[in-house]
């Protein structure tokens, strides 16, 4: 809680996520989660060493978008739509990065809908701080609107985060699948001063056959 970014904060957050595994909702294949992920600060030094084909400006002066493209889609078409929206709001695209993933441990259901995951890096000539964050929110909504109008299938396109300060790694994963699925999170150079984790919990009620209502589980079973 000292505000100093380090990898141990990220790894500790992922351990908390694994500790919540018993509460997470799981599909019939026992490997498809109902949603889990982690939010951290943007790991500036990690990206400076990892991204290729672009030169990142100073920390806080650029934003990273984490985008899910529909399964087996025309990737170039989605990228073009995003780039047009970026330019229309006065932003400049720095480049794209395909996020490395390890799908080996995914369930059958998750694999059939697994998205293509891409990060896009953008900057603005004059906006910084809160003014930049406000315009990034507007841009995110504009991207979603334009994708729906031009390409359709908005329900399969999703921007997890678009910010100059934070980034979200998530998916239809169980709590213990998040770190193996995203190799980025295991890098010692991926550092953050905080980590916020989430796992979508299964319900703690059971159907009551006689009345069709739901009754709470006894406390010991929650």
């Amino acid at each position: 809680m000292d505000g100093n970014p380090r990898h141990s904060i990220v790894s500790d957050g992922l351990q908390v996520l694994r500790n919540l595994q018993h509460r997470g909702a799981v599909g019939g294949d026992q490997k498809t989660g109902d949603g889990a992920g982690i939010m951290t600060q943007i790991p500036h030094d990690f990206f400076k060493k990892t991204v290729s084909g672009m030169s990142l400006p100073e920390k806080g002066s650029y934003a990273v978008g984490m985008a899910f493209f529909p399964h087996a889609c025309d990737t170039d078409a989605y990228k073009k739509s995003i780039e047009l929206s970026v330019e229309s709001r006065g932003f400049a695209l720095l480049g794209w990065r395909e996020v490395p993933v390890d799908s080996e441990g995914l369930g059958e259901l998750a694999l059939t809908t697994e998205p293509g995951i891409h990060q896009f890096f953008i900057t603005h000539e004059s906006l910084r701080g809160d003014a930049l964050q406000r315009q990034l929110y507007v841009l995110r909504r504009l991207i979603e609107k334009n994708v729906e109008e031009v390409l359709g299938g908005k329900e399969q396109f999703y921007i997890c985060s678009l910010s100059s300060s934070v980034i979200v790694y998530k998916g239809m994963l169980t709590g213990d699948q998040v770190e193996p699925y995203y190799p980025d999170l295991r890098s010692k150079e991926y550092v953050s001063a905080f980590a916020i984790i989430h796992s979508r919990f299964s319900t703690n009620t059971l159907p009551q056959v006689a009345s069709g209502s739901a009754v709470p589980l006894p406390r010991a079973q929650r």
Side-chain angles (χ1 to χ4, degrees):
M1 300 295 290
D2 57 11
N4 294 319
R6 48 188 178 269
H7 180 68
S8 62
I9 292 176
V10 179
S11 59
D12 286 349
L14 292 166
Q15 181 60 49
V16 173
L17 194 55
R18 287 190 290 271
N19 291 346
L20 295 174
Q21 177 69 17
H22 66 288
R23 292 294 307 272
V26 182
D29 59 12
Q30 298 301 305
K31 290 184 177 181
T32 299
D34 201 25
I38 185 170
M39 173 191 285
T40 69
Q41 290 177 307
I42 289 175
H44 175 67
D45 291 337
F46 169 77
F47 281 139
K48 286 206 72 162
K49 293 190 68 173
T50 304
V51 298
S52 58
M54 71 182 94
S55 178
L56 294 179
E58 64 181 19
K59 184 178 180 179
S61 64
Y62 68 94
V64 184
M66 186 81 159
F68 284 6
F69 289 6
H71 184 72
C73 73
D74 182 350
T75 299
D76 289 342
Y78 279 84
K79 284 184 176 181
K80 183 63 175 177
S81 179
I82 291 173
E83 290 168 6
L84 290 174
S85 298
V86 166
E87 294 171 3
S88 73
R89 297 297 301 178
F91 287 87
L93 179 76
L94 297 171
W96 287 91
R97 175 181 183 247
E98 184 172 358
V99 180
V101 297
D102 183 353
S103 307
E104 185 177 349
L106 294 187
E108 185 176 335
L109 179 60
L111 284 171
T112 60
T113 59
E114 184 181 15
I117 306 176
H118 301 268
Q119 290 166 341
F120 57 99
F121 297 76
I122 61 175
T123 189
H124 195 282
E125 184 177 357
S126 58
L127 293 176
R128 297 293 183 272
D130 290 343
L132 175 58
Q133 295 289 15
R134 284 193 294 270
Q135 289 305 311
L136 288 171
Y137 174 79
V138 173
L139 174 60
R140 176 176 176 174
R141 297 307 299 261
L142 178 64
I143 290 173
E144 293 170 343
K145 178 176 179 291
N146 288 345
V147 164
E148 182 179 20
E149 290 180 351
V150 176
L151 300 171
K154 181 185 174 184
E155 69 280 358
Q156 296 180 23
F157 171 81
Y158 180 62
I159 298 180
C160 301
S161 58
L162 176 55
S163 170
S164 62
S165 59
V166 300
I167 189 167
V168 173
Y169 283 74
K170 63 185 291 187
M172 296 300 289
L173 305 166
T174 61
D176 60 355
Q177 289 175 338
V178 175
E179 184 177 19
Y181 186 70
Y182 288 114
D184 285 1
L185 300 174
R186 300 197 295 270
S187 172
K188 298 298 183 183
E189 294 172 331
Y190 191 116
V191 300
S192 177
F194 71 85
I196 299 176
I197 57 93
H198 168 75
S199 177
R200 183 165 179 169
F201 287 175
S202 58
T203 180
N204 63 352
T205 62
L206 289 174
Q208 189 177 45
V209 177
S211 65
S213 61
V215 294
L217 284 175
R219 184 177 298 274
Q221 297 181 38
R222 292 180 182 177

